[in-house]
Amino acid sequence: MLDVVEKARFVWTFLRLTRDPNRLDLVFKLADGLDPSRRPEVQKMMARPEVRRALDAGVPVPRIDLPTLRALPEDSFGRAVAAFFDRQGFDPTGLHHTPLSEGSDFERFKLHMERTHDLWHVLTGFDTDVPGELGLQAFGIAQLGTPLGYVLLAAGFLHQIGDSTDGERLLAEVSRGWHLGRTARPLFGADWEPLFPRPLAEVRAR
């Protein structure tokens, strides 16, 4: 009975997300429902060599201190990160969901992904609108095979049925994300803080 209830909740959350793909709270609910002990697709992702290596080495959690980043050189990665948060009106601490504590491998995976998601936006150049977010999800699927990425892509495409104004751009961004993710070095597990003072162009090339 519990499985039926959990599946019903998952479907209901998914359907609500198709109506408004910008609902971050619904994204967190879907992520929380991906229990690796009961989801073979999550187990497969966690067993990927690049994920395993990063977790075994200890995935660092970057500290986003906007005043410090704003003081970095104009062309630096960190300055671009600060500009991104300022432009979006984001509070870095307000985007956190998973507690900052030692836990299971999957909790540490989620924590790192949550705290670095916006850094991926800056590095890859994907916007935060629906096409940009789906492009970044395609990037993540190419790099990690993340099951949540497939769920979010499905929700985004279903949302697009009712609003086809960005249809071609959405497809272009998803395609770009997939190809970029396949060719770029793995971003999961990267130690971002030492890269903040470096030029953005250099970090992208690296």
Side-chain angles (χ1 to χ4, degrees):
M1 180 64 181
L2 181 60
D3 284 343
V4 174
V5 173
E6 287 180 349
K7 288 177 181 177
R9 287 175 178 165
F10 191 89
V11 170
W12 173 237
T13 303
F14 172 80
L15 292 176
R16 291 167 66 196
L17 190 64
T18 64
R19 297 181 62 183
D20 185 0
N22 296 308
R23 289 280 303 275
L24 187 59
D25 60 318
L26 299 180
V27 174
F28 285 147
K29 281 187 178 181
L30 291 172
D32 289 341
L34 295 175
D35 182 352
S37 67
R38 308 169 79 168
R39 300 273 187 169
E41 67 273 19
V42 180
Q43 296 174 13
K44 182 178 179 180
M45 176 187 69
M46 297 297 292
R48 291 173 73 106
E50 59 272 31
V51 173
R52 199 62 264 155
R53 279 195 300 269
L55 289 171
D56 290 343
V59 285
V61 178
R63 185 172 51 90
I64 309 296
D65 181 68
L66 291 182
T68 300
L69 296 181
R70 292 186 189 113
L72 290 173
E74 185 72 34
D75 66 344
S76 67
F77 176 44
R79 184 72 171 270
V81 170
F84 172 86
F85 277 97
D86 289 340
R87 187 168 58 252
Q88 301 296 333
F90 289 164
D91 172 8
T93 62
L95 301 174
H96 299 164
H97 174 67
T98 301
L100 183 61
S101 62
E102 291 295 325
S104 67
D105 282 350
F106 187 57
E107 287 170 336
R108 292 193 296 127
F109 176 90
K110 288 200 302 177
L111 174 65
H112 182 78
M113 292 296 287
E114 286 174 15
R115 304 295 175 95
T116 61
H117 176 81
D118 291 305
L119 304 184
W120 288 33
H121 268 293
V122 174
L123 194 68
T124 59
F126 285 106
D127 204 344
T128 57
D129 60 3
V130 173
E133 288 289 358
L134 295 187
L136 190 58
Q137 291 303 321
F139 180 93
I141 291 171
Q143 291 235 319
L144 299 169
T146 167
L148 181 61
Y150 286 107
V151 174
L152 298 181
L153 277 183
F157 276 109
L158 284 175
H159 173 78
Q160 200 63 39
I161 293 175
D163 180 9
S164 60
T165 54
D166 278 338
E168 290 187 4
R169 180 166 166 258
L170 186 151
L171 290 172
E173 291 293 82
V174 168
S175 176
R176 183 169 77 89
W178 170 258
H179 288 291
L180 186 60
R182 296 285 287 179
T183 55
R185 293 172 61 187
L187 298 193
F188 177 76
D191 190 1
W192 294 102
E193 284 194 52
L195 299 176
F196 286 156
R198 310 302 305 171
L200 176 59
E202 176 188 313
V203 179
R204 282 178 168 162
R206 177 176 174 177

